[in-house]
């Protein structure tokens, strides 16, 4: 990506009885802020989120 990510999300294990490896997701907003692109850190996996799901995701991320 040509710039720093807009968001970082790290998974957290809340169940101490389960072995868990945290995963970090790097998230970029499109210039129109209507779609996000996601990269899973250290796995070289990339994807785009639909506009509908982007709207849902942003409503969660932007909640104070």
């Amino acid at each position: 990506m040509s710039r720093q990510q807009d968001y970082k999300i790290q998974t957290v294990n809340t169940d101490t009885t389960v072995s868990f490896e945290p995963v970090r997701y790097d998230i970029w907003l499109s210039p129109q802020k209507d779609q996000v692109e996601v990269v899973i850190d250290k796995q070289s996996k990339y994807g785009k989120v639909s506009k509908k799901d982007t709207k849902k995701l942003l409503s969660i991320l932007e909640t104070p």
Side-chain angles (χ1 to χ4, degrees):
M1 303 304 248
S2 62
R3 60 183 170 82
Q4 290 284 16
Q5 67 275 22
D6 296 299
Y7 296 95
K8 292 181 195 178
I9 297 175
Q10 176 120 3
T11 58
V12 177
N13 181 17
T14 59
D15 185 350
T16 57
T17 64
V18 177
S19 177
F20 178 81
E21 192 68 34
V23 176
R24 188 180 87 199
Y25 298 88
D26 295 328
I27 300 174
W28 285 263
L29 288 170
S30 67
Q32 298 79 17
K33 298 185 179 185
D34 63 346
Q35 195 166 24
V36 297
E37 299 176 28
V38 180
V39 172
I40 300 175
D41 187 49
K42 298 180 183 173
Q43 293 185 22
S44 299
K45 292 184 179 178
Y46 164 86
K48 285 188 178 183
V49 177
S50 71
K51 290 183 179 185
K52 179 181 174 184
D53 288 339
T54 291
K55 188 174 182 179
K56 291 177 189 178
L57 179 60
L58 290 178
S59 72
I60 295 166
L61 292 173
E62 296 176 346
T63 302

